[in-house]
Amino acid sequence: MHFHCLVIEGVFAADASGGATFHASRAPDQKWLDEIHAKVRRHLLRALTRRGVLDPEDAEAMANWAHGGGFSLDASLRIEGTDRPGLERLLRYCARPAFALERWREIDAEHLVYESIKPGPGGSVSLMLTPLELIERLAALIPPPRRHRHCYYGVLAPNASLRGQVTALAGVPDGTPAAAVPAAPGATPCRASEGTEEAPREAEAVLRRAAGYAWALLLMRIHEVLPLVCPRCGGGMRIIAFITDAGALREILTHLGEPTSPPRLILFSSVEPPVISAN
């Protein structure tokens, strides 16, 4: 098990104007990395012992192992703040899925093969699974309820007081003319004159529209389809109504040829097959 961590090389502090000032730190040296390495190992072994996962004797033995006791820390990659493509590549690498669809192939209805780029136990790069075994392994990757695969700390945490000042779509400080704020794709630029009281409000409204548009770009990166563009005519999609009446929904789904009832939930359980012996 390993973790991908993206750490800001410095700290943000609130300033008198209500914004945030960044104070850069020097690059971590090997002494710092060794201290972090030892602290993580000590706290993790202590937590596993407290939860009954490890015996105290085994935890003490692991703490005295050579070469970090089975723990390692790699902090060799550094991305400049202005290198946005490099930052995106790093984030996409950290958030990549556990397997690639193009490496799956189906032999028959009961046998699937996954070709890995790294050899597994025994040196094999091919893994053969049945469909139920695949579902069982995929279910193990689903996080428990109220747990997240990605966690944010410090100023990037959801409830951090400075989060709105340090993100890419941070609020517009007072006195910023609307003309200085880039408009979101497809949004109408503000026409407020410079120096008026309405300029900051309209400028912030533009940023809010940009933030609302960002979710569509994220979906396009995943599914390679822009959800705000009609696939038939190429025009912009817009909300025309929210339908909550069950009867109207059923009629619309029937007209479109879609099912009107939810799919049946099938629960899979891992049951050992019976052992049959023959004389």
Side-chain angles (χ1 to χ4, degrees), residues 38-59:
K39 184 178 295 185
V40 170
R41 179 179 57 181
R42 183 172 61 254
H43 281 267
L44 186 55
L45 291 177
R46 188 179 302 168
L48 293 177
T49 303
R50 186 171 58 252
R51 298 186 181 187
V53 180
L54 281 178
D55 293 331
E57 296 79 9
D58 295 335

Side-chain angles (χ1 to χ4, degrees), residues 3 7 53 77 81 122 183 189 240 249:
F3 297 92
V7 182
V53 180
L77 184 60
I240 58 176
L249 290 172

Side-chain angles (χ1 to χ4, degrees), residues 113-260:
V113 175
Y114 184 76
E115 303 290 348
S116 178
I117 60 176
K118 295 182 179 180
S124 176
V125 295
S126 300
L127 176 65
M128 181 176 293
L129 299 173
T130 65
L132 288 180
E133 289 174 339
L134 173 61
I135 293 177
E136 183 179 7
R137 295 204 176 197
L138 293 178
L141 300 176
I142 301 176
R146 294 174 293 278
R147 295 289 183 89
H148 300 282
R149 293 181 65 248
H150 302 90
C151 299
Y152 300 86
Y153 299 93
V155 294
L156 300 180
N159 295 328
S161 58
L162 290 179
R163 189 177 190 275
Q165 306 298 331
V166 301
T167 56
L169 296 176
V172 182
D174 294 339
T176 302
V181 181
T188 303
C190 294
R191 302 298 183 185
S193 59
E194 193 171 329
T196 62
E197 295 182 359
E198 297 296 327
R201 297 180 183 176
E202 295 192 16
E204 181 137 3
V206 172
L207 283 179
R208 290 181 180 274
R209 289 196 295 269
Y213 193 83
W215 69 267
L217 299 179
L218 294 176
L219 287 179
M220 184 179 65
R221 287 181 176 273
I222 298 173
H223 302 288
E224 299 181 353
V225 174
L226 186 60
L228 298 181
V229 175
C230 177
R232 294 184 178 180
C233 66
M237 301 283 284
R238 58 188 180 89
I239 298 175
I240 58 176
F242 286 96
I243 303 175
T244 59
D245 181 69
L249 290 172
R250 190 175 297 107
E251 292 181 2
I252 294 175
L253 293 174
T254 302
H255 175 74
L256 297 176
E258 299 291 340
T260 58

Side-chain angles (χ1 to χ4, degrees), residues 250-275:
R250 190 175 297 107
E251 292 181 2
I252 294 175
L253 293 174
T254 302
H255 175 74
L256 297 176
E258 299 291 340
T260 58
S261 58
R264 186 167 60 94
L265 182 62
I266 302 177
L267 299 178
F268 294 93
S269 62
S270 178
V271 179
E272 293 292 334
V275 179

